[in-house]
Amino acid sequence: MTTTEVINPATEKVVATVELVDAAGTDAAIERAQRAAKDWREVAPGDRARILRRFAEAIDANLEELAQLEVANAGHTIGNARWEAGNARDVLHFAAGMPERLLGNQIPVAGGVDITFHEPLGVVGVIVPWNFPMPIAAWGFAPALAAGNAVVLKPAELTPLTAIRLGELALQAGLPEYVFQVLPGKGSVVGQRFVTHPGVRKVVFTGSTEVGKQIMAGCADQVKRVTLELGGKSANIVFADADLERAAATAPYGVFDNAGQDCCARSRILVQRSVFDRFLELLEPAVQGVRVGDPAADATEMGPLISAAHRDRVAGFLEPSTKVAFTGAMPEGPGFWYPPTVVLPDAPTDRVLTEEIFGPVVAVLPFDDEADAVRIANDTEYGLSGSIWTNDVGRALRVSRGVEAGNLSVNSHSSVRYWTPFGGYKQSGLGRELGPDAALAFTETKNVFIATQ
Ligand code: NAP
Ligand code: MG
């Protein structure tokens, strides 16, 4: 049995040793899930709903333990980690309302009755990255279970601890055995088996665009369903007529939250040229005010990066020629720290503008007018989220409709609510998670005609 050591990114100390599931173990789990799925789909909708509510309540009862586990495993600030565990609970409560609401249609036809059913797919494989282990897992498994599927879930190798705990809580809450299995292991082994094993009918993948493309290509072989949530290079567009003080005070939190390891990070700030210098003056104290340090402390706003390798990768985006406007604070001593960093790109082709850095680095650049802002915002293959700061409602709506991205916010940086749809345009993804239709992504629609003559 191979194992992996889980490291606390704030201290570099070993938190736990976890056994990795191998290919044979993955196959065995998928086969158990196939059997469990047959019974789970027959559980009455109201009973499935009740079990999911109990699972949500079990998370709530253990919320502080889950949050502390995430602080130790992922270096998330305790405030964020509590929100993340609460989000997994809320997503389950929301999903618990779905089994009785998987409504079909009755469609007028001649000579009979026509009805549609939303039937479960069978076994769903969920592949989770390390940046938001609990929420991203729950966005996949909760609606999948609600729709009557069994789930096999692979957490990221770096962050398996909360997922393993969620698997235990599901069993305690009364979810039948093997309906929800957590399989810590390598992406190239466990994740790859989800793609190639014919028993898995859908793969939900969140992670890099590069791996997402491989998953999609692999799934094509069996016409396997796929939902992809991939990278982003989102724009925060600040117009001259905006409340500049608020726009500048909040901009750091729109990109440096979770140390920038967020697919929705607003990592390009586009500022109208007439207020560009003023905005930078206001941004500097805001960036320097971000409290970076011990993630377990209540007041901390930004923790470390996930690993030494990731810190090196982030640092690699800054070349000797890169113009750094200013940086924020960073603690000394052990831990994979990187300071909030504001850069001024030279050209539209600079890597800091074109690639997802996934760390606390933001590029600020000027634009001339509304059309220019939309053009620059869309000058990327990504299209996940973005913000628009203006006091002109018409402009807010025009620009919101003009930006090619799935999740936009006006005078705010919020992207995620469990009851609103989430997902990307272009190479940021395929399909949507959360929102009112979440369960439908885990069903097939069946049409049945019944002759009455
Ligand atoms: P990644 O390689 O895409 O990993 C995401 C998940 O996919 C992990 O569980 C990983 O397992 C698994 N995986 C990797 N290769 C696989 C394969 N061939 N088949 C099936 N599953 C596979 O992401 P990463 O290497 O952790 O991060 C690299 C970059 O991706 C980041 O710097 C960032 O730019 C981007 N990223 C984006 C998001 C997002 O939310 N959109 C999240 C994370 C990363 P292992 O953990 O075992 O490798
Ligand atoms: Mg990888």
Side-chain angles (χ1 to χ4, degrees):
M1 188 62 97
T2 23
T3 59
T4 186
E5 284 185 338
V6 175
I7 310 287
N8 180 327
T11 64
E12 304 184 33
K13 294 212 170 87
V14 176
V15 182
T17 302
V18 170
E19 286 185 359
L20 298 180
V21 178
D22 60 11
T26 307
D27 285 3
I30 292 168
E31 279 138 36
R32 289 193 298 267
Q34 284 180 287
R35 286 193 293 275
K38 289 205 173 73
D39 293 332
W40 179 240
R41 63 181 286 159
E42 299 303 331
V43 172
D47 292 335
R48 249 190 277 144
R50 191 171 307 105
I51 291 170
L52 293 179
R53 280 197 289 275
R54 287 198 185 125
F55 186 6
E57 283 154 15
I59 292 178
D60 196 53
N62 294 275
L63 191 138
E64 188 60 24
E65 181 210 329
L66 285 163
Q68 297 288 354
L69 207 52
E70 206 66 278
V71 173
N73 187 164
H76 289 194
T77 63
I78 182 65
N80 276 13
R82 287 185 184 122
W83 181 89
E84 291 160 26
N87 179 257
R89 170 202 59 205
D90 294 344
V91 170
L92 270 166
H93 270 304
F94 184 60
M98 295 173 188
E100 303 105 319
R101 292 177 179 81
L102 273 176
L103 308 179
N105 283 323
Q106 175 267 311
I107 299 169
V109 286
V113 173
D114 191 282
I115 46 177
T116 63
F117 298 91
H118 295 298
E119 300 199 334
L121 303 170
V123 179
V124 172
V126 181
I127 302 174
V128 181
W130 45 259
N131 61 329
F132 289 107
M134 283 187 276
I136 291 173
W139 303 353
F141 73 67
L145 293 172
N149 302 280
V151 172
V152 284
L153 183 139
K154 192 204 92 65
E157 247 178 291
L158 295 172
T159 56
L161 298 185
T162 48
I164 292 170
R165 189 73 188 109
L166 289 175
E168 294 167 0
L169 292 172
L171 278 179
Q172 281 172 31
L175 203 69
E177 226 179 356
Y178 309 131
V179 168
F180 175 48
Q181 299 175 83
V182 176
L183 311 178
K186 289 187 179 300
S188 56
V189 178
V190 179
Q192 191 53 29
R193 213 48 203 126
F194 290 2
V195 173
T196 57
H197 196 300
V200 176
R201 295 297 190 185
K202 172 161 189 166
V203 173
V204 178
F205 171 83
T206 305
S208 61
T209 295
E210 185 195 351
V211 175
K213 287 177 185 176
Q214 292 168 24
I215 302 254
M216 190 173 173
C219 284
D221 197 42
Q222 296 165 13
V223 197
K224 193 171 288 195
R225 278 71 181 129
V226 63
T227 294
L228 303 172
E229 297 291 358
L230 310 174
K233 193 71 194 178
S234 298
N236 174 11
I237 307 171
V238 182
F239 285 95
D241 70 6
D243 178 343
L244 275 196
E245 278 74 18
R246 250 186 81 213
T250 57
Y253 302 95
V255 57
F256 301 145
D257 189 59
N258 205 30
Q261 303 166 121
D262 183 339
C263 45
C264 292
R266 275 69 167 167
S267 54
R268 294 182 297 153
I269 307 181
L270 281 45
V271 185
Q272 197 153 16
R273 203 176 295 276
S274 59
V275 294
F276 189 79
D277 292 341
R278 176 69 188 138
F279 183 84
L280 277 181
E281 271 169 33
L282 292 166
L283 184 64
E284 183 164 3
V287 168
Q288 282 156 359
V290 176
R291 289 189 290 259
V292 185
D294 177 9
D298 274 322
T300 300
E301 293 174 323
M302 189 182 118
L305 293 172
I306 190 69
S307 66
H310 187 56
R311 181 180 55 188
D312 292 348
R313 188 182 165 276
V314 169
F317 281 94
L318 276 87
E319 284 155 32
S321 60
T322 307
K323 268 192 219 122
V324 176
F326 39 85
T327 59
M330 174 176 87
E332 306 213 326
F336 310 126
W337 303 99
Y338 200 84
T341 301
V342 178
V343 300
L344 303 173
D346 277 326
T349 50
D350 275 11
R351 285 175 72 219
V352 289
L353 269 183
T354 58
E355 291 183 39
E356 181 177 50
I357 299 176
F358 227 57
V361 179
V362 69
V364 190
L365 65 162
F367 68 85
D368 292 316
D369 55 17
E370 209 177 292
D372 197 33
V374 172
R375 181 190 60 77
I376 298 172
N378 289 340
D379 187 19
T380 167
E381 272 311 308
Y382 291 116
L384 192 53
S385 68
S387 304
I388 297 137
W389 289 77
T390 175
N391 280 327
D392 177 336
V393 176
R395 166 175 286 160
L397 281 171
R398 281 193 304 274
V399 177
S400 297
R401 298 300 297 267
V403 174
E404 298 162 343
N407 300 84
L408 294 167
S409 50
V410 174
N411 297 330
S412 156
H413 295 300
S414 78
S415 295
V416 170
R417 292 181 179 79
Y418 58 81
W419 63 102
T420 60
F422 178 79
Y425 276 40
K426 300 193 281 191
Q427 294 193 29
S428 281
L430 185 74
R432 292 291 179 273
E433 300 190 281
L434 304 174
D437 301 328
L440 292 182
F442 297 98
T443 64
E444 292 289 358
T445 301
K446 178 178 284 175
N447 190 70
V448 177
F449 170 74
I450 306 160
T452 52
Q453 283 158 13

